[in-house]
Amino acid sequence: MSTTEQRVAVVTGAARGIGAATAVRLAAEGRAVAVIDLDEAACKDTVAKITDAGGKAIAVGCDVSDEAQVEAAVERVAQELGAPTILVNNAGVLRDNLLFKMSASDWDMVMNVHLRGAFLMSRAIQKHMVDAKFGRIVNLSSSSALGNRGQANYAAAKAGLQGFTKSLAKELGKFGVTANSVAPGFIVTEMTKATADRVGMGFEDFQAAAATQIPVQRVGHPEDIANAIAFFTGDAAGFVSGQVMYVAGGPLN
């Protein structure tokens, strides 16, 4: 890092998948990392990977859609690790269904975790970034933001995060804070396995079928996304803001 002070990163939804890979990668970049997930105990493996490699991390349980929990979590991070200046809004859920089968609660759950969660976390942490005159916010969108059958709620939330990102970039830029979005394509995670289960397809076959539609002829892995996030959160990315990077193995259309 170009700074002698260790930057503190917060990664939500970091117990597994993209979030876990991102937390580990940011720790390797020299960050102290708050590993946040709904179940604090579920974060222990991610924290162990970081600390076993000589890094610094803590596990924090938090429902990112709950305002009081978010405020308490950010305060705890500030006290135990230091003021957070890097935020990766990765927490997400799936409640897939065709529109006529989708319940209002399924719609609300997805909106609350993805959009409300990103809003609450960003609002709580931005004050630390403004004080430090440095900040990096990365919001996880998705290729589903372009529209996907059976994912009206998820697609709307992920598209909303792109607009949210661009708004943050315009508001916070003068304080040294950048905001960018990473939109993964097909990534091997528990969430994509859930999609395979929903359509009644074996996960290996599901991956193989997906790979045939990707220009690089392979599916993605959490580390592929962590690599992009590491760039956006680095000191060298200070002139890159308000961007949406699709990490999908090639053009989507």
Side-chain angles (χ1 to χ4, degrees), residues 17-173:
I18 291 171
T22 297
V24 170
R25 175 59 192 272
L26 295 186
E29 295 283 318
R31 319 303 188 186
V33 184
V35 179
I36 291 184
D37 213 286
L38 187 61
D39 178 10
E40 185 169 319
C43 300
K44 65 180 182 180
D45 289 344
T46 304
V47 170
K49 286 181 182 178
I50 292 170
T51 56
D52 287 351
K56 186 174 183 180
I58 61 170
V60 180
C62 177
D63 176 352
V64 297
S65 69
D66 185 292
E67 185 173 7
Q69 289 192 37
V70 167
E71 292 292 338
V74 172
E75 179 60 27
R76 180 182 163 195
V77 171
Q79 290 180 356
E80 295 188 24
L81 291 180
T85 56
I86 296 171
L87 170 62
V88 181
N89 284 310
N90 169 73
V93 294
L94 288 177
R95 292 294 185 273
D96 294 352
N97 224 326
L98 295 175
L99 181 63
F100 77 99
K101 294 180 179 180
M102 186 175 290
S103 68
S105 62
D106 285 345
W107 176 272
D108 291 343
M109 172 65 78
V110 171
M111 292 299 160
N112 284 341
V113 174
H114 292 269
L115 283 175
R116 179 180 169 88
F119 157 67
L120 290 174
M121 291 297 304
S122 299
R123 189 183 65 176
I125 290 180
Q126 59 83 30
K127 55 192 172 188
H128 295 291
M129 298 177 175
V130 170
D131 288 345
K133 296 182 174 56
F134 174 94
R136 298 286 186 266
I137 298 172
V138 179
N139 297 313
L140 268 292
S141 181
S142 168
S143 59
S144 292
L146 302 175
N148 201 24
R149 177 179 168 84
Q151 289 192 316
N153 49 3
Y154 187 75
K158 291 304 193 182
L161 281 169
Q162 295 188 16
F164 178 64
T165 297
K166 292 177 184 293
S167 297
L168 293 186
K170 290 184 176 183
E171 285 190 25
L172 299 175

Side-chain angles (χ1 to χ4, degrees), residues 11-12 16-26 88-90 138-143 154 158 180-189 192 218-233 245-250:
V11 184
T12 68
R16 59 189 61 81
I18 291 171
T22 297
V24 170
R25 175 59 192 272
L26 295 186
V88 181
N89 284 310
N90 169 73
V138 179
N139 297 313
L140 268 292
S141 181
S142 168
S143 59
Y154 187 75
K158 291 304 193 182
N180 292 286
S181 181
V182 173
F186 190 106
I187 307 298
V188 178
T189 65
T192 47
R218 73 167 176 90
V219 295
H221 296 275
E223 292 74 19
D224 292 311
I225 308 306
N227 290 338
I229 294 170
F231 166 71
F232 279 135
T233 57
M245 178 190 288
Y246 282 85
V247 183

